[in-house]
Amino acid sequence: NAGVTQTPKFQVLKTGQSMTLQCAQDMNHEYMSWYRQDPGMGLRLIHYSVGAGITDQGEVPNGYNVSRSTTEDFPLRLLSAAPSQTSVYFCASSRLARFYNEQFFGPGTRLTVL
Amino acid sequence: KQEVTQIPAALSVPEGENLVLNCSFTDSAIYNLQWFRQDPGKGLTSLLLIQSSQREQTSGRLNASLDKSSGRSTLYIAASQPGDSATYLCAGNTGNQFYFGTGTSLTVIP
């Protein structure tokens, strides 16, 4: 099993550009999520999904869109990149079970917005 | 909203020492508490998951405990090694959202 995969590993954008960060998992997990990690602020939840066709906002959703058309894939779209979106982005997946939902993380995407 | 705090932010110990990392949370209605390890420039690796009905979990030299009533979890590392040097993060979930602490950066000195 590949687990959780993310592409690209690195990306540089100019202000105003758009892009999509890809995330895929092969563990048949219902729950998938996106986080951003910034120095001194820990990981913050951007969006999450509890199954195909179902998404919801996390703590810091502004400027980001998501969709979940399949169980395996959960792309994150930046609509109009801003320097404040410079960060490391992590995708994670887990089972949906309330009492056992160990999260597994991808390797991350380092995004710089100039 | 669940607030998760990890103190200290950084810790340096000599090799072979036993150590404890702390994690505190504000909402006792927590479903699970998970401990992760993160190496510089890398993703998060799951270490231990403690379900709300459990009080502790063990894996090798690691032991994690959970006390919901006091809002605390601890990660005990026995006989520390230089390879244990990393940032350790805890995360708790209530409902469908997970909340992370800012981590403890551990350095084990040979």
Side-chain angles (χ1 to χ4, degrees), chain B:
Chain B
K1 176 193 165 186
Q2 179 79 265
E3 301 282 347
V4 181
T5 305
Q6 292 185 251
I7 295 173
L11 182 63
S12 184
V13 299
E15 181 177 1
E17 192 162 298
N18 302 327
L19 60 101
V20 174
L21 305 180
N22 296 299
C23 172
S24 61
F25 47 92
T26 54
D27 186 350
S28 62
I30 195 167
Y31 291 168
N32 299 283
L33 195 291
Q34 190 170 359
W35 283 92
F36 297 88
R37 169 187 173 135
Q38 185 176 30
D39 293 292
K42 303 293 186 182
L44 279 70
T45 300
S46 177
L47 296 174
L48 290 165
L49 172 73
I50 312 174
Q51 299 174 56
S52 61
S53 59
Q54 300 174 319
R55 293 192 64 84
E56 66 177 64
Q57 281 284 352
T58 298
S59 176
R61 294 182 294 108
L62 306 180
N63 176 277
S65 67
L66 175 63
D67 184 343
K68 291 177 60 178
S69 61
S70 67
R72 293 188 60 191
S73 176
T74 61
L75 179 66
Y76 175 84
I77 302 177
S80 59
Q81 303 170 357
D84 294 331
S85 297
T87 296
Y88 291 80
L89 297 154
C90 66
N93 77 296
T94 51
N96 287 321
Q97 300 208 25
F98 293 79
Y99 298 93
F100 280 79
T102 51
T104 294
S105 177
L106 174 66
T107 301
V108 180
I109 304 166

Side-chain angles (χ1 to χ4, degrees), chain A residues 12-67:
Chain A
V12 178
L13 292 178
K14 294 181 179 178
T15 297
Q17 288 184 315
S18 62
M19 78 160 295
T20 299
L21 280 62
Q22 302 292 343
C23 174
Q25 53 92 9
D26 61 359
M27 297 173 281
N28 202 30
H29 284 163
E30 303 94 338
Y31 184 94
M32 295 186 73
S33 55
W34 278 100
Y35 296 87
R36 59 179 289 171
Q37 186 175 35
D38 302 293
M41 301 194 72
L43 278 85
R44 291 179 293 168
L45 182 65
I46 304 171
H47 286 285
Y48 66 94
S49 168
V50 298
I54 306 170
T55 64
D56 207 345
Q57 297 181 350
E59 186 181 355
V60 288
N62 293 342
Y64 308 95
N65 271 1
V66 291
S67 60

